[in-house]
Every structure is written in structure tokens, then in C-alpha cells.
Amino acid sequence: MRKLVPDEYSTVLPLLGTIRNQAVYALSVIDGTQQGSVFVNEGNRITSAFITSSGGFYGVAGDETNDAFVQDVIQYMNDESNHPDFFALGVYTQAWENRMDAYSIQHSQKISRTYYRFNQGRFIKSYEEFVQSYGNSAITPQKPFEYYPLDLDIATKYREHFYPYYKLVWSSAEKFCAHGIGHFIMKDGELISVCTSPYVGGGYAEIDIITVEEFQRQGLASKLGVLFIQDCLSQNLIPNWSCHTDNGASNELAQKLGFEKIGEHSMYWYHA
């Protein structure tokens, strides 16, 4: 396979036509919003693509019957120097899964990932019910909690001390602020619940929600999710959701916030 230069990245977009919202990390790389690489098959006609992001999310698309290309992908995956301490290789068709299963991807386990599509009408209905249920506190958390929007100070704190993964997906706190979305809740000066975008590309913003265990089941994630979605809509971005199939809480929250399930696909997952 050969590596494209950034000016060529958009040539693989036709191969992502049916999986765009399942591979926002790939769109972010193609857009140049976030770092990564795009590889394609040898030859003049591009029929297969392998897209990697600096955060460790990878994906394959297009023709899975090119043996040389598939073997190059496997070789890349089995070279530990290519990865941080995490990778997640997404496959979005049964044909691609069958090809990957014919090989061994070192250190990985095959898991199931559930993908959603945002339904704005359902969100509006759910949001109205949410406001009716929680009153004026539906958006702004009440004491002892404090809400903060994304800014340079909180982005730095988040990347340095709460979730260092964001040092991989966003090359700097400044870039995170410029292109990402983030909403945060703190208590006693410490982050306890966050809703942020690890990837933004192709008109989509991927949702990532974390709440410290002690503060779960208090509605904080729902409130931040509503703020995140409103932020997306104000910027003409489509909020996007995917999660492990066995993550019951995440799947439940996705549907509560107006997302509808579109399918499940395998992913080859490794975390040190």
C-alpha cells in the first residue's frame, strides 16, 4: 500500500460514503483537523483505504479482496512502533471482518461496537421532556456542582490531569479549543463529569462522556450531553455517538438523548 500526502486525502471520501458517521476519526484526519495518515492500494485507481488517527482509532474501507493491501494492513497493525498504548481497528462490513479474521492481529481482542445516528426530532422531544422533568436546573448544574464551558485553562487541566488521551487526539489545548467541543462540571475545584469531542470532521462531532464513579447516576452526563448537542447544532455540526455494545449505561444515554441505533460491527481492540 502507499501513503497519501494530505492534499490527496479527500480522494478516499467516496469509499467512506456509507460509513461516514461510523468513522468520524477518519473524517477528522481527511479534513486536517486532527493528525493521522491515509494509506491506499497500489495502482492508479484507488479502491481500498486504511486510515489511522493519532489517537489510535483506525479503519478500513473499500475493496477487501486486494490481498496485497490486506496483508500490508496486517503488517502495519502488527508493528508495535506504529501504535500508542491503544488501538481500535474498525471494520464496517462482514466481508472486511472475514478478511481480518483470516489473520492474527497481535495483542488485540475482537469486540462489538454499537453505532448510532442522531435524530434531531427525537432529541427535541426528549429535551422538552427533560426540561419539564428537571425544571430550570436541566441545563445549569446546581451547587455543589459548577459548570464550565471549554476554554484554554480547562482544556489544559483536562488534557494534563484528567484524561491524557486528549493529548493524542488534539495536538494542543489551543487546537482543542479552536476545533473541539467541551462541557465540564467541577466540584471543589476538581473535574467530575465531562462531555467532549475526541474527533471532529466531515461535519460530525463525536461524543465522549466521562463521569467519576462517585457522581454517576445523578443526571450530570445527561445535562452535559444536552449542552454538547445544542453546541453542535449551533455550529452546524451533527453530534455522533458510538460505544461498546456491552456498555449498558452509554447505550441507554444515547437513546435518551435522541440517538437511534443503526447497527453493530466488530472492532479489533487493544489497550495496554
Side-chain angles (χ1 to χ4, degrees):
M1 63 185 180
R2 62 188 178 91
K3 185 177 181 179
L4 299 183
V5 298
D7 286 348
E8 299 175 305
Y9 285 179
S10 62
T11 59
V12 305
L13 282 173
L15 302 182
L16 304 178
T18 61
I19 63 170
R20 289 174 62 88
N21 75 312
Q22 299 170 58
V24 177
Y25 61 89
L27 298 176
S28 75
V29 171
I30 293 169
D31 284 357
T33 305
Q34 286 158 289
Q35 296 177 325
S37 299
V38 179
F39 301 89
V40 298
N41 57 285
E42 297 287 352
N44 295 326
R45 182 168 171 262
I46 295 176
T47 57
S48 306
F50 173 50
I51 302 169
T52 72
S53 71
S54 59
F57 273 85
Y58 311 145
V60 285
D63 177 23
E64 77 288 341
T65 65
N66 185 324
D67 290 336
F69 179 80
V70 172
Q71 290 169 16
D72 284 345
V73 171
I74 296 298
Q75 183 177 355
Y76 180 98
M77 293 302 303
N78 286 336
D79 184 343
E80 295 183 12
S81 68
N82 289 325
H83 315 296
D85 60 358
F86 160 83
F87 67 71
L89 172 64
V91 293
Y92 306 103
T93 66
Q94 187 62 52
W96 266 112
E97 182 177 349
N98 293 341
R99 289 308 308 269
M100 293 294 104
D101 283 347
Y103 299 88
S104 173
I105 300 177
Q106 295 175 11
H107 310 302
S108 72
Q109 60 176 315
K110 189 164 73 168
I111 64 169
S112 179
R113 189 88 170 166
T114 299
Y115 297 90
Y116 289 88
R117 178 189 297 115
F118 182 60
N119 184 319
Q120 188 168 344
R122 179 181 292 181
F123 168 72
I124 291 172
K125 183 176 185 297
S126 298
Y127 173 63
E128 288 174 348
E129 293 174 351
F130 189 73
V131 172
Q132 290 172 3
S133 298
Y134 291 95
N136 292 332
S137 66
I139 296 296
T140 305
Q142 303 299 301
K143 291 184 176 181
F145 306 121
E146 297 179 315
Y147 163 74
Y148 293 88
L150 178 62
D151 63 22
L152 188 57
D153 286 343
I154 205 163
T156 301
K157 182 181 181 71
Y158 183 61
R159 294 171 76 250
E160 295 292 336
H161 304 294
F162 188 85
Y163 197 16
Y165 178 67
Y166 271 57
K167 295 172 73 173
L168 292 176
V169 294
W170 293 105
S171 58
S172 67
E174 289 81 1
K175 194 155 191 178
F176 181 26
C177 290
H179 300 283
I181 294 175
H183 297 274
F184 307 84
I185 294 175
M186 301 181 73
K187 181 178 182 292
D188 299 328
E190 297 295 329
L191 287 165
I192 61 167
S193 188
V194 301
C195 184
T196 54
S197 53
Y199 296 100
V200 177
Y204 293 92
E206 194 74 21
I207 294 178
D208 190 15
I209 297 182
I210 301 173
T211 300
V212 174
E213 185 174 2
E214 178 185 352
F215 299 98
Q216 293 176 2
R217 297 295 178 183
Q218 297 186 39
L220 301 180
S222 297
K223 293 180 181 184
L224 291 182
V226 169
L227 288 168
F228 185 103
I229 292 170
Q230 288 184 314
D231 205 350
C232 285
L233 297 179
S234 71
Q235 299 184 47
N236 293 316
L237 291 170
I238 301 171
N240 201 65
W241 196 294
S242 65
C243 60
H244 288 3
T245 300
D246 62 1
N247 188 336
S250 185
N251 283 283
E252 179 183 342
L253 182 56
Q255 295 173 62
K256 179 179 180 180
L257 290 172
F259 292 85
E260 53 188 13
K261 180 179 174 180
I262 58 174
E264 299 175 5
H265 298 290
S266 292
M267 176 172 278
Y268 299 84
W269 180 274
Y270 163 74
H271 199 297

